Amino acid sequence: MRTLDTSEPRTRNAVSIRREAHGLRGVPVIGHLIDLARDPLGFLSDCAREYGDVVALRLGTWPTLLISDPELIEAVLVKDHRSFVKNSFFWRQVTAVFGSGLLTSEGEFWQRQRRLAAPAFAGKRLATYGDVMVHHTQLMLDGWRTGVSRDLHADMMGLTLKIAAKTLFGSDVHEDVIEIDQAVNDLADEMASRMARPFVIPDAVPLPEHIRYRRGLRKIEQVIARIVNERRVRNEDAGDLLSMLMLARDEHGHPMSDRQLRDEAITILLAGHETTALALSWAWVLLADHPEVQAGLAGEVSEVLGDRAATVEDLPRLRFAEQVVTEAMRLYPPAWLIGREALHDCEIGGYLVHAGTTIYMSPWVVHRNPRCFEQPEEFRPGRWAGGLGRQIPRFAYFPFGGGPRICIGNRFAMMEAVLILATMVQRFRIERQKDRPVIPLPSITLRPKTGVWVVPATRN
Ligand code: HEM
């Protein structure tokens, strides 16, 4: 039971909470860290439900606010974005992996890198990726057998990795997929433990997880280096993201350093492939649990495509497929928590925010708010049919974040998810393997803890 902490001074409207059960008052240094580590989704949802749109949490020594009101989220991410940077505690834990790539850099440097990368994710260039997406999905499905159970999440991870490598870096990674997959998992696990820990254990301490983490990082760096070297040898402008980055020159005419290329490539590869795989895996969990929705989707795909392969031109008519992806990301947003840190004292919606305060905004929490969505726990893709997206506040639904730091790959991801989903449902009906429940694991991303085990059946 959590109660309002009236023993604390209340500045302006600021609300503080503490947990009284289990003697948590006896661990003031840790504050709510244990609650957050034990059940992050439940804890943050309870906080918002019980204490409202702005809740002060005690996470170790870090002053933290959980903000769940769409207008206030818009203030942080858009209107007052200059007052905030990406949460530095969080990002410090992952800088060894992402370096100064797009996800983690700030200021003018970030702006320049974003400008360079943006054309690869827009317009005509984006449209050229469609065939690769469908082709790789078909290759994957060729290996599926009716009645033979499989981990669909592992399939989605392998598929989106191959697609990202091919479309953005012009490279095939078939032989490396299993190892990269393992490496990404090891990195994500270690980054998540570091985030949850209120203290830092130096990398040099030879813990098994540190060894796995270093091995994972080395593997990914090797693959990236190979891709960059292949391109240097061929010395051609392939018109993809890697070429754009390699051909870019700064104001002094200098190309990007190998280190910066590595940072950007690793960022795009990691930020892009797991999140999209997750959107698809969660969509399939929901579709398997709602056979009538899956049948509706198959009906649309059959009407639009018949037996032929999907193309980018079909996207405007695959409306229900898009609604399925949108609704799946409402219930299971792959990026379930977004963080910022206040650069200086400021005010958000009348609340005083001190410099250094961490702001948490959780799509998981907001997307399930009954104020924003009717029967929010229900999977109803059709709710998006009548232009719901335009009727709700802009930040009632924000799976890709928003403002200047909005996901650069959001259109790429939507296009990829819809094309993959349509290609899959065209060939297979998918049921869950009953004895293998799916357990959400809110790590850096929202993952299915032990995969998504399904039994496919060929459609006649
Ligand atoms: C369903 C799939 C995806 C989801 C849910 C997702 C989610 C997000 C979110 C929430 C952010 C903003 C984080 C913040 O503001 O702190 C972000 C940023 C980013 N995403 Fe995605 N993403 C997805 C797919 C992709 C893809 C396909 C790519 C690239 C191929 C990508 C690359 C990036 C990059 C580079 C950033 C940093 C952008 C910047 O700060 O300028 N993402 N993503």
Side-chain angles (χ1 to χ4, degrees):
M1 173 67 185
R2 301 177 183 101
T3 56
L4 263 178
D5 186 353
T6 47
S7 66
E8 292 226 328
R10 295 174 70 185
T11 32
R12 312 286 281 282
N13 303 326
V15 176
S16 291
I17 67 153
R18 66 178 155 78
R19 197 185 161 106
E20 292 200 323
H22 312 303
L24 273 182
R25 286 184 91 160
V27 280
V29 175
I30 303 180
H32 298 108
L33 273 174
I34 291 176
D35 298 284
L36 191 63
R38 198 180 285 144
D39 174 16
L41 300 175
F43 175 66
L44 294 182
S45 302
D46 285 357
C47 285
R49 195 172 39 243
E50 291 175 31
Y51 303 108
D53 289 332
V54 181
V55 183
L57 305 174
R58 288 200 216 109
L59 301 182
T61 51
W62 298 280
T64 306
L65 289 178
L66 172 67
I67 293 193
S68 309
D69 173 59
E71 273 187 31
L72 300 189
I73 293 172
E74 185 167 13
V76 175
L77 292 181
V78 188
K79 293 183 185 141
D80 295 321
H81 74 90
R82 284 194 181 78
S83 302
F84 300 93
V85 284
K86 292 217 166 173
N87 176 259
S88 67
F89 177 72
F90 172 84
W91 291 116
R92 218 177 299 139
Q93 311 305 314
V94 300
T95 305
V97 178
F98 294 127
S100 56
L102 261 185
L103 201 62
T104 34
S105 54
E106 295 281 355
E108 275 176 28
F109 183 78
W110 161 77
Q111 225 161 28
R112 180 174 155 269
Q113 295 296 108
R114 175 120 188 173
R115 256 199 315 272
L116 284 176
F121 295 96
K124 285 207 182 89
R125 170 116 328 263
L126 192 63
T128 62
Y129 303 147
D131 290 348
V132 177
M133 291 167 176
V134 172
H135 174 66
H136 277 277
T137 311
Q138 285 171 333
L139 285 181
M140 176 195 77
L141 294 175
D142 289 345
W144 284 27
R145 296 288 169 264
T146 291
V148 179
S149 76
R150 53 190 311 116
D151 179 4
L152 182 139
H153 181 56
D155 284 332
M156 295 300 100
M157 289 287 282
L159 177 61
T160 55
L161 177 64
K162 284 178 196 159
I163 292 172
K166 188 76 188 160
T167 53
L168 301 168
F169 303 111
S171 178
D172 286 312
V173 290
H174 296 284
E175 67 277 21
D176 300 300
V177 157
I178 294 172
E179 278 181 275
I180 296 184
D181 217 18
Q182 187 57 52
V184 169
N185 282 336
D186 291 343
L187 288 187
D189 287 349
E190 179 56 14
M191 287 193 278
S193 332
R194 289 176 185 209
M195 267 172 69
R197 228 183 261 141
F199 50 87
V200 175
I201 304 178
D203 272 2
V205 179
L207 299 173
E209 52 270 37
H210 282 187
I211 295 167
R212 278 199 299 275
Y213 169 81
R214 279 202 298 270
R215 199 189 305 134
L217 193 53
R218 243 189 343 265
K219 174 72 206 169
I220 294 176
E221 283 175 337
Q222 276 165 5
V223 174
I224 302 276
R226 196 200 73 209
I227 296 175
V228 170
N229 285 338
E230 278 172 10
R231 184 62 58 86
R232 285 228 163 91
V233 169
R234 277 191 269 136
N235 195 25
E236 63 188 11
D237 177 4
D240 56 17
L241 176 72
L242 189 60
S243 285
M244 285 179 197
L245 297 177
M246 290 178 79
L247 293 171
R249 296 290 178 269
D250 66 14
E251 57 279 22
H252 309 293
H254 297 142
M256 224 174 265
S257 68
D258 276 6
R259 175 71 203 187
Q260 190 58 31
L261 272 177
R262 171 247 179 243
D263 291 351
E264 296 301 354
I266 225 166
T267 296
I268 301 283
L269 212 52
L270 294 196
H273 102 275
E274 194 197 8
T275 41
T276 315
L278 284 167
L280 283 157
S281 295
W282 289 118
W284 275 112
V285 169
L286 292 159
L287 287 169
D289 287 347
H290 297 81
E292 71 294 350
V293 180
Q294 191 177 154
L297 176 62
E300 175 184 85
V301 169
S302 157
E303 206 180 300
V304 174
L305 302 178
D307 288 336
R308 69 175 172 79
T311 67
V312 172
E313 285 72 44
D314 296 313
L315 287 172
R317 290 206 294 146
L318 292 169
R319 300 285 278 276
F320 192 58
E322 187 181 327
Q323 288 160 21
V324 167
V325 175
T326 304
E327 179 74 344
M329 286 199 293
R330 184 182 69 78
L331 285 169
Y332 293 95
W336 65 280
L337 191 64
I338 295 176
R340 291 291 186 270
E341 188 172 302
L343 279 171
H344 46 79
D345 286 359
C346 56
E347 198 180 296
I348 291 295
Y351 293 87
L352 184 64
V353 177
H354 292 288
T357 300
T358 292
I359 308 277
Y360 279 148
M361 296 151 285
S362 169
W364 170 280
V365 171
V366 179
H367 292 181
R368 288 168 183 253
N369 184 341
R371 262 188 5 233
C372 303
F373 296 96
E374 264 175 42
Q375 292 164 318
E377 304 291 329
E378 281 184 17
F379 175 57
R380 293 199 339 229
R383 72 171 79 232
W384 296 96
L388 177 68
R390 290 187 299 278
Q391 292 150 25
I392 54 176
R394 164 68 188 88
F395 282 83
Y397 180 75
F398 61 119
F400 294 109
R405 305 297 300 242
I406 193 170
C407 174
I408 198 170
N410 71 72
R411 291 178 53 217
F412 181 103
M414 280 309 290
M415 170 176 146
E416 181 177 19
V418 170
L419 288 176
I420 291 176
L421 200 62
T423 307
M424 289 174 75
V425 83
Q426 194 178 28
R427 282 178 60 181
F428 286 94
R429 188 162 38 77
I430 290 172
E431 288 179 12
R432 287 263 294 278
Q433 192 182 322
K434 300 271 181 301
D435 57 346
R436 302 197 70 155
V438 177
I439 306 154
L441 174 72
S443 181
I444 293 180
T445 49
L446 184 60
R447 310 158 106 198
K449 190 171 182 182
T450 49
V452 174
W453 287 85
V454 300
V455 186
T458 315
R459 278 187 199 279
N460 297 321

